Amino acid sequence: MPAPITFLLVEGPHDAEFMACLLKGRGFEQRKFVSAIPELYRKLIPKDYPAKNENGKEVPLTDPHPVPRFYQNAGSWVFILIGGGSKSAHTLAKALRTSRLAGFDVDSIGVILDQDLEARPEEARDTFIAEFAKEQDLPFPVDFNIKPGTFVQGPPRLGLFVLPDNSQPGALEDLLLECGEAQYKALKDKALSFRDDALENAGLTADDLALYGKPGGLKEISRQKKAWVGAMGAVLMPSMAIQNSIRDNRWLAGEALALPRIQNVRRFIEDLLA
Amino acid sequence: MPHWKSIHIERFRRLENLRLDDLGAVNLLVGKNNSGKTSVLEALAIASHPTSATQWIDVGRERELKSARTPLLEVLGWFFPHDRPRENGYDGTAALHMTLVGGGSVDIRAEYKEFRQVEMTPESEEGSDFVDDEPSEYAATLEIWLKNDPRRTLLEETPVIHEFSGKSFKEVGTGARLVPCQWVTPVSHRTSRQLLAGIDQILEERMKPEVIRLLRLLAPDVEDIEIRSPQGRGAVIHLYHCKIGHVPLAVEGDGMRRALAFASACVQARGGVLLLDEVETALHPEALSGVFRFLVEMCRAARVQLFVSTHSLEAVDAMLASVGDDVADLVAYHLPPRDSHQTVYRLGGQSIRSMRSEGGVDLR
């Protein structure tokens, strides 16, 4: 009997690393080399640098190469697919088509979205559903019109989780700040002071801060949290992206693992793999 | 422009139940060895003229060279599914259900019965349409029912019955060809008969400049194509090269002959169906895009529905490039390995483009 396969779609590399930490807690190890990945699943690995996007338009050579991350434990595989914004639905659809061509079944599909620009989790879900509806030639019907945080039995089993907690606006940074409170309290406080001081007193222009959007908007709140987490990560893992810090530091360790909102995500992953 | 909208193949060769829906103008068949790609092309070829026994035999023999022919009843018998060795007679039934673009359908059912003859067959009967080299102690009947014949050439519910007496048979009431159909196999560019008829038609239809443009993709010094009779013996296709003059096609490279076979078959399939088996054969990957672009343009102009089998990703990419912005014209069918629980997987042009251009997913 083939090993159960799970597709876990996330929005970015930092989400992927966060989920990978939770998977490690369930005995999963990353398979980083092609030789460690069974032939059957290798169609998921791009063979060429992506020359064009789904609309046939050229993509810059500087764009990241969309390679899934492969995790295996004693009995099953999880393939983390990294989408991002409007690309998420397309990334999942492409992986589903590829699985059909390769000839393996997908036993469960988990979709992790975030809600940093939406007031309600259902909005994030509905945006994803609208994007997914544009995809053609899916090997089987997939309906993600389910309550965030819940599952529908399959096959394949489908689950959808909207970060940070299927309820409040936010993203992974909200969870990281909670973890930071438990694991790096002093650093977190100093990072906040630094960020606020820099935003107020560093002589930064509106152009410098263009990514923050309108004052008081959801985007500004989200970006400020990212800057806060980024400041902590810059100290913990200088010159590296935050995902390296998530992987190698203690964000998801000790007391942080028992936090209610972290438990929420852990339960989702456990239910997805059940 | 497509003629067939779908085909459902039941118990044909080793295809138990295979369905290709929503066929396009350009249809790619991909899948591993022995998945049935050539069998699908054979089914399409037979469906073009299903009541003709000659069509069944010709299609069955396209796979082999004339010099190594399989006995007649073997050719026919193996169109039908086998669940036991062919000993002491055999019978089988195959069915093809076709739907047409614009509505309507055609249902073809063929029953084959093979039995031991009481006496050995005498020498070839006078007037036979087909004579095999090897006598056989077996005889056979092939009964073909054609329902919803769009040309109304046959009576409903009345089968055409062909009798094969050992090594020969006489064609009976064949009915009309449903659609024009041409088939280019991986070896057919090496035989001149089909090529000659096509080139003749190309010359007659004043399409020579286009075909020379095609040949120049492979040999830029080609200036002309002619049918000549050197020393007054038979018609031979010649290409005229600006440096060396007339060269018989037979001594040209395989790629040239293959490209010419495509053009020749396309004009003969006008208003019908063109089947290209292992389309990449004999063509350098760098030549594929140019040749396919020409082919697709020619098929569009001649209202020809194209079916192509391939093992080559370069061929898939070249076909994708050749349809240009009309990506909706292209469809790929991934045939599952034999004995797999999976069904045929259809990918539209948009999905093919996405899968190929975003990291080169292997569609085969």
Side-chain angles (χ1 to χ4, degrees):
Chain A
M1 191 171 164
I5 301 294
T6 296
F7 279 178
L8 182 59
L9 176 72
V10 298
E11 296 240 357
H14 55 317
D15 299 302
E17 212 54 69
F18 188 90
M19 298 305 155
C21 286
L22 299 181
L23 288 173
K24 279 174 201 160
R26 291 183 55 86
F28 281 88
E29 288 180 29
Q30 187 172 9
R31 299 289 174 241
K32 296 181 180 174
F33 297 99
V34 171
S35 58
I37 297 164
E39 185 72 39
L40 187 60
Y41 311 138
R42 289 186 196 171
K43 266 194 203 249
L44 288 165
I45 304 168
K47 300 293 184 292
D48 303 322
Y49 196 90
K52 293 178 179 173
N53 66 14
E54 69 271 27
N55 299 317
K57 304 289 181 201
E58 263 199 298
V59 296
L61 290 170
T62 47
D63 273 11
H65 208 164
V67 184
R69 298 186 184 181
F70 296 84
Y71 294 86
Q72 183 187 25
N73 74 0
S76 58
W77 285 84
V78 175
F79 304 155
I80 297 183
L81 313 169
I82 302 174
S86 61
K87 281 199 307 188
S88 287
H90 182 64
T91 301
L92 176 60
K94 199 169 63 153
L96 291 172
R97 287 192 287 262
T98 306
S99 71
R100 177 69 169 76
L101 288 168
F104 66 85
D105 293 327
V106 179
D107 298 275
S108 47
I109 301 170
V111 172
I112 311 277
L113 304 174
D114 61 31
Q115 195 194 331
D116 50 356
L117 301 177
E118 292 92 358
R120 296 168 47 247
E122 288 77 11
E123 290 176 38
R125 175 201 63 193
D126 293 347
T127 303
F128 176 80
I129 289 173
E131 288 295 327
F132 199 71
K134 295 177 190 168
E135 296 294 331
Q136 299 170 357
D137 304 322
L138 295 171
F140 46 81
V142 188
D143 184 1
F144 283 105
N145 191 16
I146 51 180
K147 188 179 171 197
T150 65
F151 289 87
V152 291
Q153 296 302 331
R157 185 171 166 74
L158 299 180
L160 184 137
F161 194 101
V162 182
L163 292 170
D165 59 6
N166 298 307
S167 170
Q168 303 298 312
L172 184 71
E173 285 72 21
D174 292 80
L175 299 182
L176 290 175
L177 287 172
E178 281 190 31
C179 294
E181 179 75 18
Q183 300 292 97
Y184 301 113
K185 171 128 182 45
L187 174 63
K188 183 190 170 201
D189 291 345
K190 288 183 187 300
L192 176 63
S193 301
F194 165 75
R195 182 204 70 183
D196 287 348
D197 188 39
L199 287 173
E200 287 292 320
N201 304 315
L204 301 172
T205 66
D207 281 351
D208 291 329
L209 302 175
L211 279 180
Y212 285 77
K214 291 178 188 168
L218 286 173
K219 194 171 187 179
E220 185 189 46
I221 295 167
S222 165
R223 295 290 191 240
Q224 285 180 347
K225 287 175 186 167
K226 288 178 194 297
W228 189 356
V229 170
M232 294 172 72
V235 172
L236 289 166
M237 196 71 73
S239 82
M240 293 199 184
I242 189 65
Q243 56 264 33
N244 296 291
S245 177
I246 294 169
R247 183 189 62 214
D248 294 337
N249 296 131
R250 294 181 285 111
W251 298 87
L252 270 172
E255 290 178 18
L257 289 171
L259 293 167
R261 297 215 289 186
I262 300 301
Q263 288 276 23
N264 254 353
V265 188
R266 290 178 70 183
R267 254 195 311 277
F268 178 83
I269 297 293
E270 280 165 19
D271 288 348
L272 182 66
L273 301 176
Chain B
M1 185 264 282
H3 308 283
W4 298 125
K5 187 179 178 190
S6 72
I7 178 170
H8 180 193
I9 302 168
E10 289 182 285
R11 303 179 306 281
F12 179 82
R13 291 234 188 255
R14 288 168 67 189
L15 300 173
E16 187 57 33
N17 188 349
L18 183 142
R19 186 186 289 276
L20 306 184
D21 288 318
D22 295 321
L23 294 165
V26 180
N27 302 277
L28 295 175
L29 302 174
V30 293
K32 294 189 187 307
N33 280 123
N34 226 20
S35 59
K37 299 182 294 297
T38 302
S39 298
V40 170
L41 296 180
E42 287 177 326
L44 286 159
I46 283 174
S48 72
H49 197 179
T51 46
S52 161
T54 303
Q55 180 77 355
W56 283 74
I57 294 165
D58 286 349
V59 167
R61 287 201 157 149
E62 284 288 356
R63 288 186 185 228
E64 57 190 14
L65 295 171
K66 195 172 182 179
S67 57
R69 283 194 152 171
T70 308
L72 178 60
L73 298 192
E74 290 281 305
V75 169
L76 283 168
W78 284 104
F79 276 120
F80 299 86
H82 286 64
D83 54 8
R84 58 187 165 79
R86 286 162 57 82
E87 290 170 356
N88 302 318
Y90 166 78
D91 56 72
T93 304
L96 305 174
H97 310 283
M98 321 287 293
T99 60
L100 297 130
V101 171
S105 63
V106 181
D107 295 313
I108 301 154
R109 187 159 63 89
E111 284 190 11
Y112 179 77
K113 289 179 184 161
E114 190 177 291
F115 44 87
R116 193 185 288 271
Q117 296 184 111
V118 177
E119 293 176 10
M120 290 291 284
T121 313
E123 285 303 302
S124 167
E125 294 165 21
E126 197 172 332
S128 293
D129 288 309
F130 191 93
V131 179
D132 212 344
D133 298 331
E134 295 293 325
S136 165
E137 60 180 305
Y138 288 93
T141 58
L142 176 64
E143 297 187 7
I144 302 161
W145 280 260
L146 179 65
K147 284 189 183 175
N148 306 318
D149 171 10
R151 298 202 173 184
R152 306 284 174 213
T153 54
L154 293 169
L155 293 173
E156 295 276 327
E157 302 298 338
T158 305
V160 174
I161 304 174
H162 300 286
E163 293 181 359
F164 302 88
S165 177
K167 68 174 186 175
S168 64
F169 83 98
K170 185 168 173 56
E171 184 88 87
V172 293
T174 61
R177 184 175 281 282
L178 301 183
V179 291
C181 178
Q182 288 290 314
W183 190 5
V184 181
T185 72
V187 296
S188 55
H189 60 282
R190 294 199 162 191
T191 58
S192 59
R193 184 174 53 86
Q194 188 189 27
L195 266 178
L196 204 53
I199 300 303
D200 200 36
Q201 199 168 332
I202 284 167
L203 300 180
E204 207 170 275
E205 295 184 15
R206 301 175 190 279
M207 294 178 65
K208 194 198 275 192
E210 285 90 339
V211 174
I212 290 172
R213 185 165 56 87
L214 166 69
L215 296 175
R216 280 186 177 158
L217 294 171
L218 305 167
D221 69 330
V222 169
E223 290 190 342
D224 202 0
I225 176 168
E226 293 174 43
I227 298 175
R228 308 176 82 216
S229 298
Q231 289 118 37
R233 288 191 301 179
V236 177
I237 302 166
H238 281 76
L239 302 186
Y240 185 82
H241 294 252
C242 62
K243 288 179 190 162
I244 54 175
H246 286 103
V247 177
L249 184 65
V251 302
E252 296 281 0
D254 267 356
M256 295 281 277
R257 293 155 74 180
R258 181 84 167 155
L260 207 52
F262 289 168
S264 162
C266 188
V267 292
Q268 292 178 88
R270 181 178 296 281
V273 172
L274 176 57
L275 314 172
L276 307 179
D277 198 8
E278 296 186 17
V279 71
E280 67 276 14
T281 301
L283 291 167
H284 189 280
E286 286 178 10
L288 292 175
S289 282
V291 172
F292 289 177
R293 190 169 292 120
F294 176 91
L295 181 67
V296 167
E297 281 172 18
M298 200 170 177
C299 284
R300 279 180 182 146
R303 295 178 297 105
V304 169
Q305 189 177 21
L306 187 57
F307 292 84
V308 167
S309 80
T310 185
H311 287 288
S312 159
L313 284 178
E314 283 125 337
V316 173
D317 290 345
M319 204 53 90
L320 189 58
S322 71
V323 296
D325 291 335
D326 297 318
V327 73
D329 282 354
L330 184 65
V331 181
Y333 297 90
H334 180 265
L335 274 56
R338 215 180 287 283
D339 303 326
S340 134
H341 68 284
Q342 292 190 318
T343 53
V344 173
Y345 184 35
R346 179 191 185 280
L347 285 167
Q350 186 69 33
S351 299
I352 299 169
R353 184 164 72 182
S354 158
M355 304 289 276
R356 288 300 302 147
S357 63
E358 295 174 67
V361 175
D362 188 344
L363 302 184
R364 298 166 300 175

